[in-house]
Amino acid sequence: MTNLRFYGMALHSGQASNPTPNRFPPLRFIRQWMALGFGLTLGSILVACTPTTVPLGPASINSRYTDEQPALSANGRFLAFVSNRNGSRNIWLYDMQQRQFVELPRLNRTEAIAESPSVSNTARYIVYLSANQGRPALAIYDRITRGSQVLYQAYQGWLRNPQISPDGRYVVFESGNRGQWDIEVLDRGPNIELDRLDGVPGTPSFLAP
């Protein structure tokens, strides 16, 4: 059985929990989650990042290594996928218009496994799963700021199948925290810059009731 739960950004800033569906927790808990999320962002994502060696100039997508889990941007230009061609499972981004790879500084790390990428309209935002020491986390990478942020840290169970909305505001994924697979909907908030097809940041979109 799969259940659907909808949360605001404050609920999943950094700590997995079992809040009541469709309700927000008391303010004191929101502050605790926000503080923990800030620590996870700095400690788990921005530290010990290592650059992925990206071929310069035109290059083929495939290699003699394992390339899998493709995700296409809404504009059809960018292709994100997972490859172990650098000795570890990293996320790669390929520009199919220019036929070359795009650098993703500060995304991939040698001690963590990156899985299941999903990209927004123009691939400004890349949502993915990161596993470090057996603990899965849902993270998002911004190609403009060149930084990653933890959206959700699981302390029990597992996460799978993350997807980001085309404009980059909403993220959905499956969580096994309760011993069954639940669908989680995460709202990154009304103040983020949306990834529009025309490349101009716009006003947020809203989920239909």
Side-chain angles (χ1 to χ4, degrees):
M1 179 179 180
T2 300
N3 296 324
L4 174 64
R5 296 187 290 177
F6 179 80
Y7 303 116
M9 180 58 189
L11 285 177
H12 290 336
S13 293
Q15 180 177 1
S17 59
N18 237 347
T20 303
N22 298 320
R23 294 181 182 178
F24 291 94
L27 181 60
R28 64 180 183 275
F29 293 121
I30 294 179
R31 290 172 178 169
Q32 291 174 359
W33 280 321
M34 291 179 68
L36 179 58
F38 180 75
L40 286 169
T41 300
L42 293 180
S44 300
I45 295 296
L46 298 184
V47 176
C49 294
T50 183
T52 299
T53 303
V54 174
L56 299 178
S60 173
I61 297 177
N62 293 306
S63 67
R64 61 186 180 90
Y65 299 95
T66 299
D67 302 320
E68 57 184 341
Q69 302 177 15
L72 191 64
S73 63
N75 65 358
R77 175 173 176 175
F78 296 98
L79 174 67
F81 63 96
V82 175
S83 176
N84 66 347
R85 64 184 69 189
N86 268 0
S88 60
R89 293 181 65 78
N90 293 329
I91 292 177
W92 293 66
L93 186 65
Y94 186 80
D95 186 336
M96 295 193 294
Q97 179 176 312
Q98 299 294 327
R99 297 188 177 182
Q100 62 185 22
F101 287 96
V102 179
E103 292 186 356
L104 301 173
R106 301 169 66 188
L107 188 154
N108 295 300
R109 296 179 293 148
T110 55
E111 75 281 8
I113 297 176
E115 299 275 357
S116 304
S118 175
V119 295
S120 58
N121 273 326
T122 65
R124 169 176 178 173
Y125 299 114
I126 303 175
V127 163
Y128 61 99
L129 297 180
S130 176
N132 189 2
Q133 298 180 346
R135 293 196 304 179
L138 176 70
I140 187 169
Y141 178 80
D142 186 343
R143 288 204 299 130
I144 300 298
T145 64
R146 297 189 171 189
S148 290
Q149 177 187 8
V150 171
L151 298 178
Y152 184 97
Q153 177 79 62
Y155 290 94
Q156 59 182 0
W158 198 253
L159 310 176
R160 68 182 186 184
N161 299 329
Q163 296 288 328
I164 190 169
S165 62
D167 63 12
R169 174 169 177 174
Y170 297 97
V171 177
V172 296
F173 61 99
E174 296 175 49
S175 168
N177 288 339
R178 300 195 306 156
Q180 66 180 38
W181 288 113
D182 294 322
I183 297 175
E184 312 278 7
V185 182
L186 189 151
D187 181 5
R188 297 178 59 214
N191 297 322
I192 69 163
E193 288 189 354
L194 301 181
D195 183 12
R196 295 176 48 173
L197 286 173
D198 57 12
V200 178
T203 55
S205 62
F206 296 92
L207 287 177

